[in-house]
Amino acid sequence: MELFQAKDHYILQRGERALWCSRRDGTLQLRPATDLLLAWNPVCLGLVEGVIGKVQLHTALCQLELL
């Protein structure tokens, strides 16, 4: 799978499907791979062999990253 980082999402793409993870609230959406064209400036971060889980950060930590 290819991992992309866009302004609002991380996107895992394999074949004709893509899993979109919101960088804002962590929600997941399954979309067609062609929706990658709708992402804001996607950058390929590399290949991923699998996904084990999802990490949720405390909102105070996210605010620190923005500073």
Side-chain angles (χ1 to χ4, degrees):
M1 292 181 281
E2 291 177 284
L3 175 63
F4 294 88
Q5 179 181 347
K7 179 182 176 191
D8 297 324
H9 294 89
Y10 286 106
I11 304 163
L12 283 167
Q13 182 175 318
R14 181 177 175 198
E16 297 179 7
R17 298 277 184 210
L19 181 64
W20 290 52
C21 178
S22 171
R23 295 179 68 183
R24 185 168 296 153
D25 61 15
T27 56
L28 299 172
Q29 293 180 315
L30 187 60
R31 297 186 183 181
T34 54
D35 279 5
L36 184 61
L37 299 172
L38 303 175
W40 183 262
N41 194 26
V43 175
C44 184
L45 299 178
L47 297 177
V48 175
E49 294 297 324
V51 177
I52 295 174
K54 181 175 84 168
V55 175
Q56 183 173 358
L57 299 176
H58 189 276
T59 55
L61 294 175
C62 292
Q63 290 174 354
L64 291 175
E65 290 179 346
L66 296 175
L67 297 177

